[in-house]
Every structure is written in structure tokens, then in C-alpha cells.
Amino acid sequence: MNICMVGTGYVGLVTGAGLADFGMNVVCVDKDAEKIAALQSGVIPIYEPGLDAIVARNERAGRLRFTTDLKGGIEDSLAIFIAVGTPPRSDGSPDLTFVRQVAEAIALHMNGYKVVVTKSTVPTGTGRMIEQILREKNGRHEFSVVSNPEFLREGSAVSDFLRPDRVVIGANDARAVEVLKEIYSPLYLLETPFLITDVVSAELIKYASNGFLAVKISFINEVARLCELMGADVHAVAKGMGLDKRIGSKFLHPGPGFGGSCFPKDTAAVADLARQQGYAFEIIEATMRVNAATKARMIAKIADTAGPVAGRVAAVLGLSFKPETDDIRESPALSVVADLERAGASVRAFDPAAMANTKALHPDVHYARDAYDCADGADFLVIATEWNEFRALDLSRLAGLLRSKTMIDLRNVYDPDEMREAGWRYAGIGRP
Ligand SMILES: NC(=O)c1ccc[n+]([C@@H]2O[C@H](COP(=O)([O-])OP(=O)(O)OC[C@H]3O[C@@H](n4cnc5c(N)ncnc54)[C@H](O)[C@@H]3O)[C@@H](O)[C@H]2O)c1
């Protein structure tokens, strides 16, 4: 089957390559000509473990190609996936301009029956909007509109796509369901749960899932704060909670607040969606406030441990919003950098993948070669993102490079007792 993937970003590129791996003929389209030129010459424009191999394998097999020619992609394909960005507007509502543009292009260029599949995270009602555009602007050809939300996580996107917990197919007609089942047939054979539902419910599943995960993160961050006030250890509390099967241990790791391109945007979108229906989604509203407060609290934690930061040099390890990605969208590490700069500190930083993306936003930061170069001459060290290579740092070498043995570990990578025994002034999150 021929598939057109419109939008070749974190989701579109992984999904396109993954579907090609399932045996589909996939053309990935993007309006960013530079990105497409890079992909055509074998350069993967994002950092995502394992992505280069799956792209190369499927390109070699002739099942995956890249183009800016949206018209050709639409004409040649039965299924057209929309995987463009849906960034937040200032009021929290998602900007659907790109989705609308693609729907209009599909209406203009469709030359027969098409299954239009929304992969982007969109508010409920978007499927109806796409349907209306296709009906009004095309008029001749039949089509189906499907919601097929994506749950992959950056950093493990390839394996998440190839082995998902579930596949959600929201469709209002059986013909479209059959097309989607054929596309995902390798997962069907692996007995991956398929949830077939209507379009609106599928759209809401994605928002409700991300909203719930954001609540879970904010909940443990609140517990961590309480632990700090009471002298308890958040890791013991989280473990005790997580052993209860009704709660589960995942997403109970305290930190400097959630970030990334999904949770902040999707919580704001759920809240906005509810408000538009005249309903206040109180738990989500509280979660957004808790997350903002959690992020804002980090600079005070740094100053409590290291002393006033004005005029001093901070070494910050990690800039991406989580390890194994170069994505810095809404990264809590960057809000730490911004708060340090605002408070008068100068910042040295190192990240294994995200420095190129950060440079334009924070030109005044000194970008280091590695963790040790980052620490060289700094007054204190902040671990802001838990890349694996920061888990086994040579602490005595670091101590020799820093002006004082001070570490603020916003990801609880190190053991507080061991650090204090080794003479460090150390603070983590939610630990005595
Ligand atoms: N990143 C994630 O982890 C993740 C996970 C699940 C769902 N999502 C959702 O998937 C969607 C895409 O996210 P992303 O992170 O891949 O975004 P991204 O910004 O990395 O990629 C979007 C791509 O779409 C392209 N684009 C925009 N308009 C276009 C048009 N008219 N024609 C062709 N290309 C166009 C852009 O140039 C860009 O390359 C969003 O709705 C997001 O919420 C993201």
C-alpha cells in the first residue's frame, strides 16, 4: 500500500520509517526543504536512537523516500497521514493552522478514495473539521477521516512505534478501519491490543492519556516537596506507592517539572478544550500550576545549596527535556538556565545532543566539550537532565575542577549519603 506521511518531524519520520518497516511504500513529505534535502542525502535531522538504521534499511529496500512534493504524495497514496506540528497558542489552545493547510491540500489534490489519518495530537472535533474541509473543497471523491493518535516517546521512539502498548483507531466507517488494520497488520499479528472506536473518542484518548501522565508527574513532585518539608525520602515513598498494582511504579520519579513538546502543550489544550465546553477541568488546571511552581522552585533550591548565584559561575549538565533526545521544547533544564542568567550567574553548559538547538536561545552560555570542561572553574554543578553519561561521573576529578564541591542534582542521579560522606555539599529532590 502507498502511504503519504505529511510532516517529517519527530513523529512523522519515525512513523514513516516504521510503516515502511511494516512493508508499506512510504513517501515522507515536509515543507522544510532543508530537512528533506538532508534526509535525501542520508542525514537524519534529529537525534533519536536507532532511527538512522531503520531509515537507511527502508530507503535501501526502496520503501521509503523523502520529498517536498505534497501533491505527488497525495495523488500516489491511498492513506495520507497528517503528522505536522500543533503548537500551543498563547491562550493554551493548539494552533491547527498546519493541519488545516494539509487538509486543504488533500482536498485540492485528491484523485480518488483517500483515507486521511490524523497522527498529530489534536483537540476533539478536529476530525470533523478535516471532514468538512474535504467535503467542501473536494466534492468529487470519497474519503474517510481517521484518528490514529501516536504515543511514542522521544528517546525510545523507534521501539515505542514498533512495539506499542496499543493501537488506537478512531473511525466512523468500516472501510477505513480495514485500511488501518492492513497498515498495522504486523502489530495485529503480534497481538498488540487494537482499540477501534469513533473519531472523537480516539482524539480524546490521546489528550486524556497525556493529561493523566502529567498529573502523575506533578503528584510525585508535590510529594517530593512534602518529603523535603518533613524529612522523608521521596524514593522510598514512590516505591511504596508504586508496588500497589493500582498505582504502578512508572512516572513516579520526582524532578524539576515536566517539559517537552507534549505534556505542557497537551495539558494546556485539555484545559482549553474543557473551558470551551463551559467546564473547568480542575485536576489539569492544578497540574499546570503545580508544574510551573515546581520549575520556578529550582532556582531557590540552587541558591539554598550553593548560596547567592549573582556573579558566580554555574555548570549545568543536560539541556534537553529528557535524555536521549536533542529536543529542548519546554525543557525544564532551559528554565533553570534562564533563571540562573536572570539571577546574575554566568552559565557553562554541556549536553550530549542538544547544544546546537540551545545556542540560538541562549547565546551567552559557554558551551563545553564535556562534563569536565563544563565544571572547569565553575562555582557549583547542576544536573538538569539525567543522560546516562552523567550517572557515572568521576566525582574526584569534578571536585578538582569546581571551585567548590557543590552539586544540585535535579534528577536524583547520585546518592545523598555517599555524596555527603565524600565531602560534597549536595541537594537532590525530595530527599533528606
Ligand atoms: N514529539 C513527540 O514525542 C510526539 C509524540 C506523540 C505525538 N506528537 C504529536 O505529533 C505532532 C507532530 O509532533 P513532532 O514532534 O513530530 O513535530 P515536529 O515539529 O518535529 O514536526 C512537524 C513537521 O511538520 C512539518 N510541517 C508543518 N506544516 C507542514 C505542511 N503544511 N506540509 C508539510 N510539512 C509540514 C514541519 O516542517 C515539521 O518538520 C504534534 O501534534 C505532536 O503533539 C508528538
Side-chain angles (χ1 to χ4, degrees):
M1 187 191 304
N2 289 351
I3 290 179
C4 176
M5 183 65 56
V6 190
T8 309
Y10 288 88
V11 166
L13 182 54
V14 172
T15 307
L19 293 180
D21 224 43
F22 291 168
M24 304 289 129
N25 295 313
V26 181
V27 58
C28 287
V29 181
D30 206 286
K31 64 178 183 181
D32 182 341
E34 238 175 78
K35 191 179 270 190
I36 292 300
L39 284 159
Q40 284 169 340
S41 61
V43 175
I44 306 290
I46 54 172
Y47 178 90
E48 183 60 52
L51 185 57
D52 46 357
I54 187 174
V55 167
R57 179 164 77 231
N58 286 286
E59 262 195 299
R60 259 198 317 274
R63 289 190 299 261
L64 181 64
R65 61 191 177 86
F66 302 98
T67 181
T68 53
D69 175 18
L70 180 55
K71 176 175 181 284
I74 293 166
E75 286 174 350
D76 291 348
S77 305
L78 169 61
I80 301 149
F81 281 71
I82 303 177
V84 296
T86 48
R89 291 205 199 90
S90 54
D91 64 356
S93 66
D95 184 347
L96 297 178
T97 307
F98 300 142
V99 173
R100 207 173 284 117
Q101 282 170 355
V102 177
E104 283 170 1
I106 296 171
L108 185 65
H109 301 303
M110 63 197 287
N111 53 352
Y113 174 67
K114 304 286 173 189
V115 181
V116 179
V117 187
T118 315
K119 238 329 163 203
S120 300
T121 302
V122 292
T124 47
T126 304
R128 265 187 233 126
M129 177 195 89
I130 295 172
E131 224 173 284
Q132 197 180 344
I133 292 172
L134 294 178
R135 203 176 308 115
E136 283 173 6
K137 304 215 166 169
N138 141 61
R140 278 194 313 137
H141 301 291
E142 285 184 41
F143 61 84
S144 304
V145 173
V146 176
S147 166
N148 172 223
E150 182 50 58
F151 301 96
L152 63 77
R153 297 160 299 172
E154 286 173 27
S156 54
V158 175
S159 55
D160 285 351
F161 184 81
L162 296 177
R163 282 179 291 281
D165 287 345
R166 79 291 210 193
V167 174
V168 173
I169 298 172
N172 298 332
D173 64 279
R175 189 175 177 188
V177 172
E178 287 317 306
V179 171
L180 268 285
K181 275 189 176 170
E182 187 186 335
I183 291 171
Y184 285 108
S185 55
L187 296 179
Y188 211 62
L189 298 175
L190 286 173
E191 298 188 7
T192 306
F194 273 53
L195 181 76
I196 315 283
T197 181
D198 58 277
V199 175
V200 175
S201 302
E203 289 169 339
L204 198 51
I205 285 169
K206 174 67 189 179
Y207 271 152
S209 301
N210 274 3
F212 187 79
L213 292 171
V215 169
K216 214 171 167 189
I217 297 171
S218 283
F219 190 90
I220 201 64
N221 283 336
E222 290 273 79
V223 172
R225 183 67 191 128
L226 200 53
C227 286
E228 286 171 3
L229 296 170
M230 310 292 296
D233 179 349
V234 69
H235 285 282
V237 178
K239 191 160 188 195
M241 289 167 65
L243 287 169
D244 184 329
K245 290 192 182 68
R246 294 169 303 176
I247 297 174
S249 59
K250 302 237 170 90
F251 273 71
L252 287 180
H253 302 286
F258 58 75
S261 67
C262 291
F263 291 148
K265 162 173 89 65
D266 294 350
T267 45
V270 182
D272 174 71
L273 195 67
R275 260 182 254 124
Q276 281 183 31
Q277 304 303 315
Y279 179 66
F281 200 148
E282 301 280 7
I283 292 181
I284 293 291
E285 303 269 6
T287 294
M288 293 193 298
R289 285 197 301 275
V290 167
N291 197 51
T294 304
K295 286 167 84 171
R297 213 167 32 236
M298 296 304 119
I299 186 71
K301 180 179 281 294
I302 292 169
D304 282 351
T305 315
V309 302
R312 298 174 73 214
V313 181
V316 177
L317 295 183
L319 296 166
S320 55
F321 84 93
K322 65 173 188 176
E324 299 296 335
T325 181
D326 60 352
D327 198 342
I328 55 165
R329 289 178 280 185
E330 300 285 328
S331 172
L334 293 200
S335 70
V336 168
V337 168
D339 286 348
L340 282 165
E341 286 184 330
R342 238 189 320 271
S346 47
V347 177
R348 300 171 66 81
F350 172 71
D351 186 285
M355 291 199 290
N357 286 345
T358 312
K359 276 178 185 159
L361 287 178
H362 291 282
D364 295 336
V365 167
H366 172 87
Y367 293 94
R369 286 188 309 278
D370 57 27
Y372 304 101
D373 181 36
C374 183
D376 196 3
D379 291 292
F380 55 91
L381 185 83
V382 180
I383 298 188
T385 311
E386 71 280 33
W387 283 86
N388 270 339
E389 65 180 79
F390 303 151
R391 291 182 185 279
L393 293 168
D394 179 342
L395 293 175
S396 37
R397 186 173 164 203
L398 273 185
L401 292 164
L402 287 164
R403 284 196 205 142
S404 96
K405 284 171 81 170
T406 305
M407 181 191 287
I408 301 93
D409 180 0
L410 304 182
R411 300 290 183 171
N412 288 355
V413 170
Y414 288 94
D415 183 86
D417 293 333
E418 285 175 16
M419 291 301 284
R420 269 174 228 125
E421 267 162 38
W424 285 77
R425 194 179 305 143
Y426 172 90
I429 304 270
R431 296 196 292 183

